[in-house]
Tab-separated table of all heavy atoms in Angstrom:
chain	number	residue	atom	x	y	z
X	33	THR	N	101.027	-23.411	-154.731
X	33	THR	CA	99.974	-23.256	-153.844
X	33	THR	C	100.437	-23.472	-152.437
X	33	THR	O	101.562	-24.027	-152.225
X	33	THR	CB	98.755	-24.351	-154.106
X	33	THR	OG1	99.325	-25.589	-153.798
X	33	THR	CG2	98.229	-24.222	-155.547
X	34	ALA	N	99.709	-23.032	-151.438
X	34	ALA	CA	100.018	-23.346	-150.102
X	34	ALA	C	98.805	-23.505	-149.235
X	34	ALA	O	97.735	-22.989	-149.754
X	34	ALA	CB	100.893	-22.213	-149.487
X	35	PHE	N	98.970	-24.029	-148.030
X	35	PHE	CA	97.782	-24.194	-147.172
X	35	PHE	C	96.686	-24.980	-147.862
X	35	PHE	O	95.519	-24.451	-147.896
X	35	PHE	CB	97.288	-22.853	-146.637
X	35	PHE	CG	98.512	-22.025	-146.092
X	35	PHE	CD1	98.791	-20.761	-146.759
X	35	PHE	CD2	99.281	-22.528	-145.142
X	35	PHE	CE1	99.967	-20.085	-146.364
X	35	PHE	CE2	100.441	-21.750	-144.725
X	35	PHE	CZ	100.753	-20.544	-145.323
X	36	ASN	N	97.014	-26.191	-148.343
X	36	ASN	CA	96.117	-27.018	-149.082
X	36	ASN	C	95.297	-26.331	-150.200
X	36	ASN	O	94.105	-26.414	-150.370
X	36	ASN	CB	95.126	-27.608	-148.099
X	36	ASN	CG	94.487	-28.921	-148.667
X	36	ASN	OD1	95.018	-29.486	-149.595
X	36	ASN	ND2	93.436	-29.352	-147.987
X	37	GLY	N	96.052	-25.504	-150.926
X	37	GLY	CA	95.454	-24.826	-152.071
X	37	GLY	C	94.811	-23.531	-151.862
X	37	GLY	O	94.247	-22.877	-152.792
X	38	LEU	N	94.696	-23.046	-150.615
X	38	LEU	CA	94.041	-21.810	-150.261
X	38	LEU	C	94.759	-20.641	-150.838
X	38	LEU	O	94.190	-19.646	-151.322
X	38	LEU	CB	93.916	-21.630	-148.721
X	38	LEU	CG	92.785	-22.425	-148.048
X	38	LEU	CD1	92.757	-22.089	-146.647
X	38	LEU	CD2	91.401	-22.000	-148.688
X	39	LYS	N	96.085	-20.658	-150.783
X	39	LYS	CA	96.917	-19.525	-151.380
X	39	LYS	C	97.457	-20.063	-152.726
X	39	LYS	O	98.003	-21.177	-152.808
X	39	LYS	CB	98.100	-19.306	-150.478
X	39	LYS	CG	99.010	-18.180	-150.864
X	39	LYS	CD	100.137	-18.001	-149.775
X	39	LYS	CE	101.273	-17.191	-150.283
X	39	LYS	NZ	101.052	-15.753	-150.169
X	40	LYS	N	97.235	-19.203	-153.787
X	40	LYS	CA	97.652	-19.610	-155.075
X	40	LYS	C	98.538	-18.594	-155.680
X	40	LYS	O	98.356	-17.367	-155.490
X	40	LYS	CB	96.430	-19.759	-156.026
X	40	LYS	CG	95.601	-20.911	-155.643
X	40	LYS	CD	94.541	-21.151	-156.811
X	40	LYS	CE	93.677	-22.347	-156.669
X	40	LYS	NZ	92.766	-22.381	-155.568
X	41	GLY	N	99.519	-18.963	-156.553
X	41	GLY	CA	100.312	-17.912	-157.237
X	41	GLY	C	101.159	-18.642	-158.291
X	41	GLY	O	100.996	-19.795	-158.581
X	42	THR	N	102.077	-17.840	-158.798
X	42	THR	CA	103.050	-18.384	-159.775
X	42	THR	C	104.440	-17.931	-159.441
X	42	THR	O	104.564	-16.845	-159.089
X	42	THR	CB	102.655	-17.879	-161.204
X	42	THR	OG1	101.243	-18.032	-161.453
X	42	THR	CG2	103.449	-18.527	-162.407
X	43	ILE	N	105.315	-18.791	-159.596
X	43	ILE	CA	106.740	-18.420	-159.474
X	43	ILE	C	107.403	-18.790	-160.737
X	43	ILE	O	107.636	-19.965	-161.091
X	43	ILE	CB	107.362	-19.193	-158.272
X	43	ILE	CG1	106.558	-19.050	-156.957
X	43	ILE	CG2	108.868	-18.809	-158.068
X	43	ILE	CD1	106.990	-19.906	-155.788
X	44	GLU	N	107.718	-17.738	-161.486
X	44	GLU	CA	108.297	-17.886	-162.819
X	44	GLU	C	109.569	-18.660	-162.806
X	44	GLU	O	110.405	-18.420	-162.054
X	44	GLU	CB	108.551	-16.511	-163.442
X	44	GLU	CG	108.282	-16.601	-164.948
X	44	GLU	CD	108.759	-15.238	-165.547
X	44	GLU	OE1	108.305	-14.154	-165.088
X	44	GLU	OE2	109.551	-15.318	-166.524
X	45	GLY	N	109.543	-19.725	-163.653
X	45	GLY	CA	110.808	-20.545	-163.693
X	45	GLY	C	110.874	-21.619	-162.683
X	45	GLY	O	111.731	-22.503	-162.752
X	46	LYS	N	109.886	-21.732	-161.674
X	46	LYS	CA	109.925	-22.712	-160.727
X	46	LYS	C	109.890	-24.189	-161.225
X	46	LYS	O	110.604	-25.000	-160.756
X	46	LYS	CB	108.725	-22.536	-159.701
X	46	LYS	CG	108.612	-23.613	-158.688
X	46	LYS	CD	107.440	-23.271	-157.787
X	46	LYS	CE	106.055	-23.704	-158.138
X	46	LYS	NZ	105.753	-25.178	-158.019
X	47	GLY	N	109.071	-24.380	-162.315
X	47	GLY	CA	108.914	-25.691	-162.914
X	47	GLY	C	110.252	-26.246	-163.406
X	47	GLY	O	110.581	-27.361	-163.224
X	48	VAL	N	111.045	-25.388	-163.997
X	48	VAL	CA	112.408	-25.732	-164.480
X	48	VAL	C	113.260	-26.121	-163.286
X	48	VAL	O	113.915	-27.153	-163.398
X	48	VAL	CB	112.946	-24.601	-165.373
X	48	VAL	CG1	114.392	-24.986	-165.891
X	48	VAL	CG2	112.088	-24.352	-166.537
X	49	VAL	N	113.377	-25.186	-162.327
X	49	VAL	CA	114.214	-25.518	-161.171
X	49	VAL	C	113.815	-26.880	-160.576
X	49	VAL	O	114.739	-27.744	-160.265
X	49	VAL	CB	114.115	-24.349	-160.117
X	49	VAL	CG1	114.872	-24.727	-158.932
X	49	VAL	CG2	114.651	-23.167	-160.676
X	50	ASN	N	112.551	-27.022	-160.331
X	50	ASN	CA	112.103	-28.319	-159.548
X	50	ASN	C	112.361	-29.503	-160.424
X	50	ASN	O	112.758	-30.554	-159.895
X	50	ASN	CB	110.629	-28.198	-159.240
X	50	ASN	CG	110.317	-27.164	-158.134
X	50	ASN	OD1	111.228	-26.393	-157.706
X	50	ASN	ND2	109.159	-27.162	-157.623
X	51	ASN	N	112.129	-29.410	-161.762
X	51	ASN	CA	112.396	-30.572	-162.623
X	51	ASN	C	113.922	-30.887	-162.610
X	51	ASN	O	114.220	-32.112	-162.276
X	51	ASN	CB	111.905	-30.260	-164.040
X	51	ASN	CG	112.136	-31.444	-164.970
X	51	ASN	OD1	111.874	-32.555	-164.612
X	51	ASN	ND2	112.508	-31.175	-166.173
X	52	LEU	N	114.708	-29.968	-162.806
X	52	LEU	CA	116.204	-30.265	-162.835
X	52	LEU	C	116.721	-30.704	-161.572
X	52	LEU	O	117.499	-31.524	-161.440
X	52	LEU	CB	116.951	-28.991	-163.471
X	52	LEU	CG	117.094	-29.070	-164.980
X	52	LEU	CD1	115.720	-29.201	-165.718
X	52	LEU	CD2	117.833	-27.765	-165.563
X	53	MET	N	116.241	-29.934	-160.517
X	53	MET	CA	116.799	-30.326	-159.172
X	53	MET	C	116.354	-31.721	-158.767
X	53	MET	O	117.163	-32.461	-158.150
X	53	MET	CB	116.384	-29.252	-158.135
X	53	MET	CG	116.931	-29.621	-156.834
X	53	MET	SD	116.718	-28.376	-155.657
X	53	MET	CE	117.150	-29.325	-154.131
X	54	SER	N	115.116	-32.014	-158.926
X	54	SER	CA	114.559	-33.368	-158.578
X	54	SER	C	115.353	-34.386	-159.325
X	54	SER	O	115.788	-35.371	-158.739
X	54	SER	CB	113.061	-33.439	-159.015
X	54	SER	OG	112.267	-33.415	-157.949
X	55	ASN	N	115.560	-34.188	-160.651
X	55	ASN	CA	116.260	-35.256	-161.450
X	55	ASN	C	117.657	-35.465	-160.884
X	55	ASN	O	118.213	-36.507	-160.908
X	55	ASN	CB	116.203	-34.931	-162.866
X	55	ASN	CG	114.796	-34.973	-163.400
X	55	ASN	OD1	113.937	-35.591	-162.828
X	55	ASN	ND2	114.489	-34.364	-164.479
X	56	TYR	N	118.326	-34.323	-160.560
X	56	TYR	CA	119.648	-34.302	-160.086
X	56	TYR	C	119.754	-35.062	-158.762
X	56	TYR	O	120.592	-36.061	-158.644
X	56	TYR	CB	120.196	-32.873	-159.788
X	56	TYR	CG	121.466	-32.753	-159.245
X	56	TYR	CD1	122.662	-32.710	-159.990
X	56	TYR	CD2	121.638	-32.507	-157.861
X	56	TYR	CE1	123.927	-32.653	-159.441
X	56	TYR	CE2	122.857	-32.348	-157.323
X	56	TYR	CZ	124.028	-32.334	-158.100
X	56	TYR	OH	125.243	-32.203	-157.568
X	57	MET	N	118.835	-34.819	-157.903
X	57	MET	CA	118.769	-35.525	-156.602
X	57	MET	C	118.417	-37.063	-156.736
X	57	MET	O	119.016	-37.894	-156.106
X	57	MET	CB	117.725	-34.905	-155.681
X	57	MET	CG	118.178	-33.527	-154.997
X	57	MET	SD	119.677	-33.715	-154.072
X	57	MET	CE	119.891	-32.014	-153.631
X	58	PHE	N	117.482	-37.267	-157.530
X	58	PHE	CA	117.071	-38.697	-157.837
X	58	PHE	C	118.290	-39.482	-158.314
X	58	PHE	O	118.536	-40.623	-157.816
X	58	PHE	CB	115.908	-38.920	-158.685
X	58	PHE	CG	114.591	-38.626	-158.003
X	58	PHE	CD1	113.526	-37.872	-158.766
X	58	PHE	CD2	114.324	-38.918	-156.753
X	58	PHE	CE1	112.337	-37.566	-158.143
X	58	PHE	CE2	113.142	-38.696	-156.087
X	58	PHE	CZ	112.129	-37.995	-156.854
X	59	GLN	N	119.055	-38.881	-159.250
X	59	GLN	CA	120.197	-39.698	-159.852
X	59	GLN	C	121.321	-39.840	-158.783
X	59	GLN	O	121.954	-40.849	-158.708
X	59	GLN	CB	120.682	-38.911	-161.056
X	59	GLN	CG	119.745	-39.049	-162.188
X	59	GLN	CD	120.080	-38.246	-163.438
X	59	GLN	OE1	120.908	-38.612	-164.284
X	59	GLN	NE2	119.582	-36.985	-163.401
X	60	TYR	N	121.416	-38.787	-157.982
X	60	TYR	CA	122.453	-38.916	-156.955
X	60	TYR	C	122.033	-39.911	-155.853
X	60	TYR	O	122.914	-40.765	-155.507
X	60	TYR	CB	122.504	-37.463	-156.166
X	60	TYR	CG	123.443	-37.335	-155.084
X	60	TYR	CD1	124.794	-37.182	-155.218
X	60	TYR	CD2	122.941	-37.378	-153.785
X	60	TYR	CE1	125.725	-37.160	-154.181
X	60	TYR	CE2	123.773	-37.355	-152.736
X	60	TYR	CZ	125.152	-37.193	-152.868
X	60	TYR	OH	126.029	-37.149	-151.806
X	61	LEU	N	120.779	-39.946	-155.536
X	61	LEU	CA	120.327	-40.859	-154.506
X	61	LEU	C	120.365	-42.346	-154.975
X	61	LEU	O	120.696	-43.269	-154.252
X	61	LEU	CB	118.890	-40.500	-154.048
X	61	LEU	CG	118.816	-39.221	-153.235
X	61	LEU	CD1	117.422	-38.779	-153.061
X	61	LEU	CD2	119.510	-39.435	-151.844
X	62	GLU	N	120.118	-42.565	-156.282
X	62	GLU	CA	120.215	-43.941	-156.880
X	62	GLU	C	121.670	-44.416	-156.640
X	62	GLU	O	121.823	-45.614	-156.346
X	62	GLU	CB	119.960	-43.859	-158.453
X	62	GLU	CG	118.460	-43.552	-158.834
X	62	GLU	CD	117.724	-44.990	-159.014
X	62	GLU	OE1	118.297	-46.027	-158.800
X	62	GLU	OE2	116.502	-44.803	-159.336
X	63	LYS	N	122.639	-43.473	-156.910
X	63	LYS	CA	123.993	-43.983	-156.720
X	63	LYS	C	124.298	-44.293	-155.317
X	63	LYS	O	125.225	-45.025	-155.078
X	63	LYS	CB	125.003	-42.743	-157.151
X	63	LYS	CG	125.109	-42.649	-158.628
X	63	LYS	CD	126.303	-41.797	-158.964
X	63	LYS	CE	125.935	-40.900	-160.183
X	63	LYS	NZ	126.219	-39.593	-160.008
X	64	LYS	N	123.522	-43.742	-154.368
X	64	LYS	CA	123.762	-44.033	-152.947
X	64	LYS	C	122.818	-45.156	-152.477
X	64	LYS	O	122.560	-45.387	-151.334
X	64	LYS	CB	123.443	-42.754	-152.109
X	64	LYS	CG	124.311	-41.526	-152.472
X	64	LYS	CD	125.612	-41.712	-151.983
X	64	LYS	CE	126.537	-40.493	-152.424
X	64	LYS	NZ	127.969	-40.794	-151.971
X	65	GLY	N	122.229	-45.851	-153.403
X	65	GLY	CA	121.453	-47.063	-153.071
X	65	GLY	C	119.983	-46.861	-152.746
X	65	GLY	O	119.302	-47.781	-152.355
X	66	VAL	N	119.423	-45.672	-153.166
X	66	VAL	CA	117.979	-45.470	-152.967
X	66	VAL	C	117.338	-45.591	-154.335
X	66	VAL	O	117.533	-44.759	-155.260
X	66	VAL	CB	117.734	-44.056	-152.434
X	66	VAL	CG1	116.213	-43.823	-152.140
X	66	VAL	CG2	118.387	-43.811	-150.996
X	67	PRO	N	116.405	-46.579	-154.460
X	67	PRO	CA	115.802	-46.774	-155.824
X	67	PRO	C	114.708	-45.677	-155.995
X	67	PRO	O	114.001	-45.365	-154.987
X	67	PRO	CB	115.175	-48.140	-155.749
X	67	PRO	CG	115.097	-48.416	-154.307
X	67	PRO	CD	116.116	-47.671	-153.623
X	68	THR	N	114.666	-45.056	-157.229
X	68	THR	CA	113.670	-44.028	-157.488
X	68	THR	C	112.858	-44.372	-158.738
X	68	THR	O	113.180	-45.223	-159.466
X	68	THR	CB	114.327	-42.660	-157.567
X	68	THR	OG1	114.930	-42.652	-158.922
X	68	THR	CG2	115.469	-42.419	-156.615
Side-chain angles (χ1 to χ4, degrees):
T33 65
F35 314 115
N36 202 15
L38 281 179
K39 179 179 166 87
K40 288 193 176 69
T42 307
I43 304 172
E44 212 189 307
K46 171 175 90 78
V48 175
V49 171
N50 288 8
N51 184 35
L52 270 55
M53 179 171 167
S54 249
N55 293 341
Y56 177 84
M57 286 299 175
F58 282 143
Q59 289 173 87
Y60 177 80
L61 291 167
E62 287 270 0
K63 282 195 216 131
K64 301 290 181 184
V66 179
T68 78

